[in-house]
Amino acid sequence: MVLRDLDLLKKINEKAKAVVQMTLTTADDDLCRILEPNVCPTSRRIEVLKELDDAGIPTVVWLCPILPYINDELENIRAILDHCVEVNVKGIFCFNMGLTLRDGNRQHFYRKLDEHFPGLKERYIEEFGDSYAVGSPNNDELMRYFKKRTSDEGIMNDSYEILCYLREFPQKSRQSKLI
């Protein structure tokens, strides 16, 4: 849906800065349809990110949620970052590999685990109990990879740096169009 406003985003970007942000959780479209049933699949989001880049609109990705035992694998993170590199993402927010579960959300999440991943709810209850923060057991390895890969590719990975980037409004030159 963001592309329907592409002309408006371009106009904003001429005078200030328009940045589009979106989430990426998995490189697998089938898994994406389960985890985020009411949005377009990852492959379409990557196409949109590319179209935005082609139009000169900078983008930022939120790499979340990363669900323990579902999408917290190096192969998934590598594939998502490969896509981010391909489409020239400026920054990626990633606070850790995991998710947060508030009371109420947890019950809904557990119902969905039972529906799509039978037996996994019990593992979550045993391992995480009623914890608000549910971290991936692969967090350390995945975060090391995330930090190194994004740094190597020149993609911002520090939340404060990304927030500063989002808040800065560079002065655009007002050149005459009488050429």
Side-chain angles (χ1 to χ4, degrees):
M1 292 183 77
V2 71
L3 291 179
R4 74 177 176 197
D5 294 327
L6 187 56
D7 289 338
L8 177 61
L9 292 168
K10 286 182 189 179
K11 285 181 183 178
I12 292 169
N13 215 32
E14 287 173 7
K15 296 184 181 180
K17 180 172 70 178
V19 179
V20 173
Q21 301 178 54
M22 68 176 60
T23 61
L24 294 177
T25 58
T26 179
D28 180 319
D29 280 350
D30 292 331
L31 182 57
C32 182
R33 287 182 184 95
I34 293 169
L35 300 181
E36 300 177 283
N38 300 314
V39 298
C40 61
T42 301
S43 60
R44 178 63 184 140
R45 288 187 238 180
I46 298 303
E47 291 170 1
V48 169
L49 289 168
K50 177 66 175 142
E51 289 184 52
L52 291 165
D53 182 52
D54 289 346
I57 308 297
T59 56
V60 169
V61 162
W62 290 75
L63 184 60
C64 60
I66 301 300
L67 309 173
Y69 313 113
I70 297 174
N71 63 340
D72 66 335
E73 298 172 343
L74 182 58
E75 177 183 320
N76 179 54
I77 303 305
R78 180 180 291 123
I80 291 171
L81 295 181
D82 286 348
H83 290 306
C84 288
V85 169
E86 291 167 16
V87 299
N88 198 29
V89 165
K90 300 294 180 213
I92 303 173
F93 281 108
C94 180
F95 300 100
N96 271 316
M97 302 294 170
L99 74 152
T100 56
L101 290 176
R102 291 174 180 82
D103 196 36
N105 291 10
R106 181 180 300 105
Q107 290 77 5
H108 173 76
F109 180 72
Y110 283 169
R111 279 192 302 277
K112 292 298 180 180
L113 284 180
D114 279 341
E115 182 180 335
H116 297 287
F117 306 98
L120 194 52
K121 175 180 84 173
E122 289 73 22
R123 188 172 186 180
Y124 268 69
I125 291 169
E126 182 180 313
E127 198 163 323
F128 306 113
D130 288 336
S131 296
Y132 171 74
V134 177
S136 166
N138 302 326
N139 181 69
D140 293 345
E141 172 194 6
L142 296 176
M143 286 304 294
R144 273 191 305 276
Y145 177 78
F146 168 77
K147 293 284 187 179
K148 180 171 181 357
R149 177 74 190 278
T150 51
S151 294
D152 289 350
E153 298 290 352
I155 297 173
M156 290 180 282
N157 61 31
D158 177 77
S159 300
Y160 180 76
E161 181 183 12
I162 297 169
L163 289 171
C164 289
Y165 170 75
L166 292 173
R167 289 186 185 118
E168 67 186 32
F169 290 96
Q171 295 295 320
K172 303 277 182 154
S173 64
R174 296 179 183 229
Q175 296 177 352
S176 173
K177 296 184 180 183
L178 300 175
I179 299 176

